[in-house]
Amino acid sequence: MADTGLLEALLRLLEKVDGGIDSQDVAADLGVDHQLIVGAVKSLQALGEVISAEQKSSKRWELTGEGREIAEQGSHEARVFNAIPDEGLPQNELMKMPSGKVGFSKAMSNKWIRLDKAHEGGPRVFKTVETIEDTVRDKLQLVQKGLSAKLEDKEKNELKKRKLLSEVTVKSYWITKGSSFSTTITKQETELTPEMIASGSWKEKKFKPYNFEAMGVAPDCGHLHPLMKVRTQFRQIFLEMGFTEMPTNNFIESSFWNFDSLFQPQQHPARDQHDTFFISDPALAHEFPQDYLERVKQVHSEGGYGSQGYKYDWKIEEAQKNLLRTHTTAVSARMLYKLAQQEKFTPVKYFSIDRVFRNETLDATHLAEFHQIEGVVADYGLTLGNLMGILHQFFTKLGITKLRFKPAYNPYTEPSMEVFSYHEGLKKWVEVGNSGVFRPEMLLPMGLPEGVSVIAWGLSLERPTMIKYGINNIRELVGHKVNLQMVYDSPICRLDS
Amino acid sequence: MPTVSVKRDLLFEALGQKYTDEEFDELCFEFGLELDEITSEKEILIREQGDEKAEGASDVVLYKIDVPANRYDLLCLEGLVRGLQVFKEKLEAPRYKRVSPADGGEPQRLVITEETASVRPHAVAAVLRNITFTQERYESFIELQEKLHQNICRKRTLVAIGTHDLDTISGPFTYTAKPPGEIRFKPLNQSKEYTATELMSLYKTDSHLRHYLHIIENEPLYPIIYDSNGIVLSMPPIINGDHSKISLNTKNIFIECTATDLTKAKTTLDMVVTMFSEYCEEPFTVEGAEVVYPDGRLCVYPELAYRTETLSGDFINKRVGINESAESIAQLLTRMCLRSEVSGEGDLIQVEIPPTRADVIHACDIMEDAAIAYGFNNIVRSTPRTYTIANQLPLNKLTELLRQDLAAAGFTEALTFALCSEEDIADKLRKNIAETRAVHISNPKTTEFQVARTCLLPGLLKTLAANRKMPLPLKLFEISDVVLKDETKDVGARNNRRLCAVYYNKSPGFEVIHGLLDRVMQLLDVKPGRNQGYHIQAAEDSTFFPGRCAEIFSCGKSIGHLGVLHPDVISRFELTMPCSAIDIDIEPFL
């Protein structure tokens, strides 16, 4: 806080004027350094609406040290001229003068003096004119008097080049009275203190207003990952719909459960090295339910259960190959097989959200691993219309109500449907998931009763998350290259809003 | 999903109707196709090779249509048009017929020798008589073979198709296998003869053929087909002979398919002949050819088998969720090229599956076709009445609850990859890969996918490294699965749910990580203590700084470690500050 006396002196000055005053003038009036006035202005501003001050900057010409000397004593050339008597002066003597060198050449070029090199007793300098006009000094004196405006820019720049003048920027405040202007100062409190509460002194105090435009201090806290926040919501939706969570904590799966049990033939392209990560250690799975394995082999190679089968030579060696599961449907197959082993069939609704792996080419939206969301319902007499109905309910919970279905192909579902939703932003139908009714060739060898239908659907967790949080590159979301600032800043996830 | 590229105007001409792009897209959607792209040869060239190369290229509009992977009958213009016309009831599905040679002549014969058994044992053949090609038909014929090769033939591994101008060769033909050095012929579009050995090296640099060389490359005998004069028809699955190549003027075509899978060979042959017999003098007839097996068996191909399935209207109605009469369902199926009629007994429907629909192998396939013809989007959507009580997986329930509280404790959740390099889980952590119990991947495309992670720490450290610009301290955690070999499991490995957290700052902050352990134990309701509680005890672990590592015990059982990371670990993960970490197994707390 600047000295109260100075503050009040400033306020008294301000009281007298109609409009406002410049802080430079205040400094001149009060005879103090301008910096002190700037401090006073800031202190007064902090008190609220006592004054208002607007910063302004102006440019001004000032004499340099050499410039001031010339304004007082004349220019170097004038001083040289004046030093030469009528009978002239030896050049070496002239050069000894402080202004000698510069003054001599300038006076020469002004043709004020001449040099007689042949003079006996050495070169000698003579005046060539009677009187001279010292324009440099005149100009500098004008500037000194604050009349620099009388000079042309060209003249000022020339003097600047000669280092006689310099241009300086002056910052000052234009001070006017504030809405609660007063010539006396009351100090404002910044914060309420326990002492004020105890003593009741807060009643008399004035409090400094808060700046409500400023941001608050960020709370010190941890953050959940946006993809996991979306996962939590999807889990919630399934739980709300009565679906039980499947144990998907087995990334390593055998080809048998990942493909064969799903009636996916052994020559299917998905079983290619290019699409699936196979395991070298432990390379093979052992232990399969033998009866079931025989039935799977039969339905692939010969058919049965009303099917023609694929009519090829099914090999156990192919089924044994371990891999990183390519879909969580491998777990659904295990669960449905388990269900079929129950003494009496009971209807089930299952879901899972977990990682799956594809040995695919990577790009901005595809990684080698992603999360698959899957829902499965098994009951007697389920129809394709039921599948559409449950998909409608599921997607309604995601805020998606406009759905339509396209026939598609999937080796283990028939019918198979791609689910499209109308995207209001893109003004077109976009694929949001895949669905179907599991084939009898998959279900009947497991031992499920003939009349039981199993409907299922799946989608990726990453895609809706990228859309929800406006992320274009999947690497910014998943994996170690994540942008932590994005994690810190991501809002809560409500899928239906 | 295979993509078929057809010229739009040609397609509309064949369909006898013009569509707007939107209308055609809609028709595709309904039928289970997808109009993937509208483009032209010129546009494709501009995109792939730049403006210069595209100069003078055709700007005829092309439709790229995605076809379901099991619908080989829609892989060419002819098939697409036939399918759509029948669907729109503008055409009746043709009946494909195998015929004997005209004038009672002998059928063509292909004799298989026993040498083929070791390399490519199956072959089938057929003849298309008096065909009329145009430039477009010819191109489509070649293109269909390529599409079949890429799809049902699994890049020629299962089946390879050879088509020949029958008038340049004379049967009977012999399908045999010989050492590559003994095979010598002039291959398609080459000017001189090569031995098979020379051909294999010639095609090493061929952008198209090099992908097929591996199929027979290491076999002692290569498959080869000769005519009765010793002329080479083809060396499947690599290349045909130049002598018998077909052209626009070819009238009679001999088609052979050699295979490792007989079912697929028959289907492939059926597809080629059903699609292109349309252009024969007597449309949709195919002349049979005899194939003689090494054991003397004789079969006539193509099979062009029609199969009849009987199912009830009730079955369709109940599975789809509609209520249509048997007659109406029969009509729907007929529109899908499955000629159907009500048999008169109740609501039974006789459905005839043509040779073009090899994808129909079960009543459920027929049911789907009825649903497609009915229109998926006309089916009433109804909620199933299945009543069930939901249960969470206990492990995931625990994980969800802990995640929330770890974030509340000031740690931020990371989500790192389950796959990583061997180096990440071994060298960089100063461990020996042999001691990690890691599951190894046999076919990684890059080192990033060599193993499944055995701990979460490398992922968190890499996350720190990628976020070094963020203000310190950085506090991260992850609760997720690692994978460990485990012989007690059917697949020899199991997941393990772990909790890992790191504290990265100018000072190691062991007390922060230790405090986090205390908090986690508090949340799990485990009290400090040696027996029923938890405690930590100094331990040596090469990942940690000597003297700054402790093993964590809960109820007397080791559940993990905590400590200050070894400086070498820090530098190997491209970090510069001290870092402390905790890693525990949460499964004991279930």
Side-chain angles (χ1 to χ4, degrees):
Chain A
M1 172 69 66
D3 165 36
T4 316
L6 181 63
L7 298 186
E8 289 182 348
L10 194 160
L11 291 171
R12 280 193 300 276
L13 267 183
L14 186 58
E15 192 188 15
K16 287 181 218 152
V17 297
D18 282 338
I21 44 176
D22 190 298
S23 57
Q24 289 280 358
D25 298 338
V26 177
D29 259 20
L30 299 177
V32 296
D33 190 80
H34 183 243
Q35 275 312 306
L36 283 175
I37 301 300
V38 170
V41 167
K42 287 192 171 151
S43 299
L44 288 169
Q45 276 179 313
L47 296 178
E49 299 296 310
V50 179
I51 60 160
S52 73
E54 203 178 307
Q55 200 175 32
K56 58 177 204 175
S57 68
S58 54
K59 284 194 171 166
R60 211 179 61 192
W61 291 96
E62 243 176 28
L63 299 189
T64 61
E66 193 183 353
R68 270 196 297 277
E69 185 192 314
I70 288 173
E72 274 166 33
Q73 302 173 18
S75 64
H76 298 296
E77 54 271 31
R79 276 184 261 169
V80 164
F81 179 83
N82 291 332
I84 300 170
D86 289 345
E87 65 275 18
L89 197 67
Q91 192 192 14
N92 54 2
E93 220 169 290
L94 181 92
M95 287 302 176
K96 282 178 199 150
M97 285 176 60
S99 301
K101 271 189 187 157
V102 189
F104 174 75
S105 59
K106 272 277 170 192
M108 282 293 282
S109 71
N110 285 352
K111 302 224 165 51
W112 289 350
I113 56 174
R114 68 180 170 83
L115 176 66
D116 182 1
K117 284 188 186 168
H119 200 279
E120 59 189 274
R124 202 175 177 89
V125 187
F126 294 93
K127 292 193 207 174
T128 54
V129 289
E130 284 296 311
T131 56
I132 54 157
E133 204 179 323
D134 191 355
T135 55
V136 172
R137 183 188 191 176
D138 295 348
K139 286 175 191 169
L140 290 175
Q141 281 174 338
L142 275 178
V143 174
Q144 208 170 22
K145 288 177 195 149
L147 299 171
S148 63
K150 289 195 174 176
L151 297 181
E152 281 176 29
D153 283 350
K154 200 178 138 196
E155 293 172 310
K156 283 185 277 200
N157 285 328
E158 195 176 312
L159 292 169
K160 188 182 170 190
K161 225 186 262 171
R162 283 181 69 178
K163 296 203 169 80
L164 303 177
L165 271 190
S166 67
E167 196 176 23
V168 293
T169 308
V170 185
K171 290 214 161 118
S172 61
Y173 285 93
W174 182 249
I175 310 164
T176 52
K177 292 169 193 157
S179 57
S180 53
F181 179 77
S182 140
T183 51
T184 53
I185 291 162
T186 346
K187 193 177 167 234
Q188 287 179 311
E189 297 295 335
T190 49
E191 291 297 0
L192 192 62
T193 64
E195 290 74 20
M196 292 176 197
I197 296 169
S199 66
S201 66
W202 59 269
K203 290 174 194 154
E204 275 76 46
K205 305 237 182 231
K206 268 198 160 182
F207 288 86
K208 190 180 163 186
Y210 277 168
N211 174 10
F212 293 112
E213 299 296 318
M215 297 291 282
V217 177
D220 190 12
C221 62
H223 308 266
L224 293 174
H225 192 282
L227 190 80
M228 296 293 98
K229 291 201 265 200
V230 179
R231 186 181 72 173
T232 302
Q233 289 311 304
F234 272 103
R235 273 185 99 237
Q236 189 63 36
I237 288 171
F238 277 115
L239 293 170
E240 285 166 7
M241 291 174 71
F243 283 65
T244 285
E245 195 167 26
M246 291 189 273
T248 45
N249 53 330
N250 59 324
F251 296 165
I252 310 299
E253 192 49 278
S254 62
S255 293
F256 179 78
W257 288 106
N258 195 80
F259 295 125
D260 295 288
S261 71
L262 297 172
F263 196 53
Q264 199 151 347
Q266 295 190 328
Q267 317 88 340
H268 192 275
R271 302 181 70 152
D272 215 274
Q273 296 275 326
H274 297 293
D275 293 293
T276 300
F277 287 113
F278 286 92
I279 303 298
S280 57
D281 179 23
L284 300 178
H286 38 91
E287 285 181 37
F288 299 98
Q290 266 314 313
D291 296 0
Y292 173 50
L293 181 131
E294 287 303 324
R295 293 194 293 272
V296 169
K297 175 179 178 173
Q298 196 211 333
V299 77
H300 277 247
S301 51
E302 297 163 30
Y305 310 98
S307 176
Q308 301 291 307
Y310 293 123
K311 300 195 175 95
Y312 70 97
D313 188 11
W314 189 89
K315 293 191 177 76
I316 175 75
E317 292 77 11
E318 204 52 51
Q320 277 187 299
K321 285 183 182 168
N322 275 335
L323 44 79
L324 277 155
R325 67 165 176 234
T326 62
H327 47 200
T328 49
T329 318
V331 177
S332 310
R334 283 180 183 265
M335 293 300 284
L336 289 169
Y337 172 74
K338 206 172 146 196
L339 177 67
Q341 306 319 300
Q342 280 181 194
E343 215 156 281
K344 188 173 179 297
F345 173 83
T346 46
V348 295
K349 289 194 281 205
Y350 289 141
F351 84 95
S352 66
I353 309 169
D354 211 337
R355 293 182 199 236
V356 297
F357 305 84
R358 306 271 169 95
N359 195 7
E360 282 176 350
T361 316
L362 314 180
D363 60 34
T365 53
H366 292 87
L367 290 172
E369 52 189 274
F370 63 95
H371 289 74
Q372 184 187 340
I373 301 170
E374 185 171 0
V376 179
V377 185
D379 200 354
Y380 282 101
L382 293 174
T383 68
L384 195 58
N386 286 153
L387 174 57
M388 293 174 175
I390 207 160
L391 281 166
H392 179 72
Q393 295 203 323
F394 178 78
F395 280 97
T396 300
K397 281 183 173 284
L398 303 178
I400 296 172
T401 49
K402 252 181 169 177
L403 286 187
R404 67 174 190 164
F405 302 94
K406 173 178 163 287
Y409 169 68
N410 186 335
Y412 47 88
T413 54
E414 188 81 14
S416 307
M417 308 189 298
E418 279 169 7
V419 188
F420 283 72
S421 86
Y422 191 75
H423 194 288
E424 296 294 345
L426 298 172
K427 296 263 172 271
K428 65 172 190 178
W429 292 90
V430 293
E431 196 192 328
V432 291
N434 247 304
S435 65
V437 183
F438 283 135
R439 292 190 72 99
E441 291 100 322
M442 167 184 164
L443 303 178
L444 296 175
M446 288 176 170
L448 285 169
E450 187 99 36
V452 168
S453 290
V454 182
I455 56 179
W457 73 96
L459 59 155
S460 95
L461 177 63
E462 279 76 358
R463 211 171 110 84
T465 307
M466 287 171 78
I467 294 168
K468 179 90 198 160
Y469 288 102
I471 295 164
N472 295 321
N473 185 350
I474 197 165
R475 283 175 181 75
E476 277 176 31
L477 176 69
V478 183
H480 56 267
K481 286 181 185 153
V482 66
N483 175 355
L484 279 181
Q485 192 62 49
M486 178 279 292
V487 176
Y488 294 170
D489 296 345
S490 73
I492 54 171
C493 174
R494 283 171 297 176
L495 291 171
D496 54 355
S497 64
Chain B
M1 209 188 300
T3 304
V4 180
S5 173
V6 295
K7 290 179 180 156
R8 183 193 61 188
D9 295 348
L10 218 56
L11 176 71
F12 289 172
E13 191 191 317
L15 289 172
Q17 185 182 346
K18 281 194 173 148
Y19 293 84
T20 63
D21 292 341
E22 290 73 28
E23 285 165 352
F24 190 72
D25 183 45
E26 199 57 38
L27 174 62
C28 283
F29 192 96
E30 209 187 329
F31 193 58
L33 303 170
E34 201 170 328
L35 179 55
D36 186 47
E37 199 187 353
I38 302 164
T39 180
S40 70
E41 265 175 45
K42 190 166 190 170
E43 245 178 72
I44 297 171
L45 276 173
I46 289 174
R47 191 175 56 215
E48 288 171 357
Q49 302 182 27
D51 288 352
E52 269 173 46
K53 293 265 168 111
E55 216 165 292
S58 158
D59 44 18
V60 170
V61 178
L62 293 180
Y63 274 178
K64 294 211 157 186
I65 300 169
D66 279 350
V67 174
N70 63 340
R71 290 299 299 271
Y72 313 119
D73 59 320
L74 303 177
L75 288 176
C76 60
L77 176 82
E78 289 73 13
L80 270 173
V81 168
R82 222 175 285 164
L84 288 171
Q85 291 292 74
V86 174
F87 183 63
K88 302 287 286 178
E89 296 182 288
K90 288 186 184 167
L91 189 76
E92 246 184 69
R95 262 202 93 78
Y96 308 101
K97 225 169 100 190
R98 186 176 76 201
V99 295
S100 303
D103 337 319
E106 285 293 304
Q108 295 297 330
R109 176 174 284 201
L110 177 65
V111 180
I112 306 178
T113 74
E114 60 191 5
E115 289 83 1
T116 60
S118 68
V119 49
R120 205 171 178 84
H122 307 291
V124 294
V127 174
L128 287 175
R129 281 284 173 198
N130 297 313
I131 197 162
T132 310
F133 275 138
T134 61
Q135 185 64 36
E136 274 96 17
R137 292 171 183 183
Y138 177 81
E139 281 168 13
S140 178
F141 186 64
I142 303 294
E143 190 57 27
L144 173 67
Q145 292 174 53
E146 179 56 21
K147 289 277 182 260
L148 291 169
H149 274 151
Q150 292 310 313
N151 293 284
I152 182 176
C153 307
R154 294 302 318 285
K155 298 181 179 142
R156 302 193 189 178
T157 53
L158 300 181
V159 187
I161 312 162
T163 55
H164 310 276
D165 187 336
L166 183 56
D167 298 324
T168 65
I169 45 180
S170 60
F173 306 100
T174 308
Y175 174 42
T176 185
K178 281 182 154 187
E182 293 173 24
I183 298 172
R184 195 178 164 78
F185 67 105
K186 186 165 105 181
L188 195 61
N189 302 329
Q190 293 290 342
S191 49
K192 61 172 190 129
E193 290 194 347
Y194 294 85
T195 66
T197 318
E198 288 166 346
L199 275 180
M200 295 304 262
S201 69
L202 177 70
Y203 292 142
K204 275 263 181 318
T205 53
D206 186 295
S207 63
H208 180 57
L209 295 176
R210 67 191 160 98
H211 302 293
Y212 308 119
L213 303 181
H214 73 96
I215 306 173
I216 57 167
E217 203 166 24
N218 298 319
E219 297 290 338
L221 304 179
Y222 284 8
I224 185 95
I225 303 177
Y226 293 103
D227 84 343
S228 59
N229 299 320
I231 288 169
V232 170
L233 273 68
S234 63
M235 184 176 84
I238 312 295
I239 190 82
N240 286 349
D242 193 65
H243 180 92
S244 58
K245 75 174 169 201
I246 61 163
S247 71
L248 267 179
N249 304 319
T250 299
K251 297 309 292 176
N252 299 302
I253 305 176
F254 179 68
I255 303 160
E256 38 86 5
C257 296
T258 55
T260 54
D261 180 320
L262 181 59
T263 312
K264 294 265 191 294
K266 291 184 204 170
T267 307
T268 304
L269 183 67
D270 280 353
M271 287 303 156
V272 176
V273 298
T274 51
M275 292 300 117
F276 282 87
S277 56
E278 182 175 350
Y279 302 131
C280 289
E281 198 170 54
E282 202 176 321
F284 308 116
T285 63
V286 185
E287 186 180 303
E290 295 173 350
V291 173
V292 183
Y293 288 88
D295 63 5
R297 250 179 330 125
L298 187 147
C299 294
V300 184
Y301 294 108
E303 285 191 341
L304 294 180
Y306 282 80
R307 182 175 96 242
T308 304
E309 298 265 0
T310 306
L311 41 80
S312 69
D314 185 54
F315 166 81
I316 304 274
N317 281 326
K318 281 208 167 127
R319 293 294 168 125
V320 179
I322 52 177
N323 194 10
E324 292 290 300
S325 69
E327 287 75 15
S328 152
I329 290 169
Q331 201 184 345
L332 292 174
L333 291 172
T334 304
R335 281 174 54 205
M336 301 303 289
C337 291
L338 304 175
R339 196 180 301 217
S340 305
E341 50 192 39
V342 179
S343 68
E345 297 166 45
D347 68 341
L348 289 185
I349 305 166
Q350 303 278 341
V351 186
E352 187 185 55
I353 293 114
T356 44
R357 294 299 306 275
D359 59 297
V360 177
I361 57 175
H362 192 278
C364 68
D365 298 302
I366 299 169
M367 180 260 286
E368 179 183 65
D369 273 13
I372 293 173
Y374 183 83
F376 276 10
N377 296 295
N378 298 326
I379 298 168
V380 175
R381 299 169 190 183
S382 58
T383 309
R385 282 176 303 180
T386 309
Y387 178 79
T388 50
I389 300 289
N391 285 306
Q392 302 186 48
L393 186 72
L395 182 61
N396 289 356
K397 186 175 182 176
L398 175 66
T399 303
E400 286 288 292
L401 292 169
L402 278 177
R403 285 175 55 236
Q404 298 284 342
D405 269 307
L406 282 177
F411 282 73
T412 290
E413 186 174 34
L415 175 71
T416 66
F417 296 127
L419 306 184
C420 59
S421 67
E422 287 180 9
E423 200 189 16
D424 284 340
I425 55 163
D427 292 0
K428 284 184 174 178
L429 293 180
R430 296 167 34 91
K431 300 250 192 238
N432 183 346
I433 187 74
E435 288 157 15
T436 56
R437 290 163 72 197
V439 166
H440 291 255
I441 294 165
S442 65
N443 57 334
K445 284 187 183 134
T446 70
T447 56
E448 287 170 274
F449 313 119
Q450 287 175 320
V451 289
R453 64 180 172 199
T454 52
C455 51
L456 300 175
L457 186 59
L460 289 185
L461 295 178
K462 288 199 274 186
T463 308
L464 287 177
N467 285 279
R468 277 175 306 194
K469 284 183 190 153
M470 298 294 290
L472 295 174
L474 282 169
K475 299 193 270 187
L476 300 180
F477 81 95
E478 183 170 14
I479 306 180
S480 189
D481 284 349
V482 303
V483 183
L484 302 170
K485 278 200 281 184
D486 181 348
E487 285 185 2
T488 66
K489 299 286 168 184
D490 61 346
V491 296
R494 66 174 165 90
N495 281 23
N496 179 214
R497 184 76 40 99
R498 300 195 75 91
L499 181 164
C500 187
V502 291
Y503 177 81
Y504 183 67
N505 201 1
K506 287 176 183 147
S507 65
F510 179 82
E511 68 288 356
V512 177
I513 279 300
H514 191 186
L516 183 69
L517 169 68
D518 294 335
R519 175 66 185 144
V520 168
M521 289 302 166
Q522 201 172 45
L523 291 167
L524 293 169
D525 200 17
V526 182
K527 306 270 184 302
R530 294 239 153 213
N531 298 319
Q532 289 313 301
Y534 75 97
H535 72 278
I536 67 172
Q537 145 184 331
E540 281 306 311
D541 186 304
S542 50
T543 301
F544 294 91
F545 199 37
R548 295 280 184 277
C549 170
E551 192 168 2
I552 306 163
F553 293 87
S554 175
C555 301
K557 192 172 164 267
S558 169
I559 57 162
H561 287 87
L562 83 169
V564 178
L565 294 183
H566 196 284
D568 285 347
V569 173
I570 290 170
S571 353
R572 283 171 201 176
F573 282 96
E574 291 163 13
L575 294 170
T576 51
M577 304 275 169
C579 180
S580 51
I582 179 170
D583 167 32
I584 59 171
D585 180 357
I586 63 161
E587 290 180 21
F589 303 102
L590 280 176

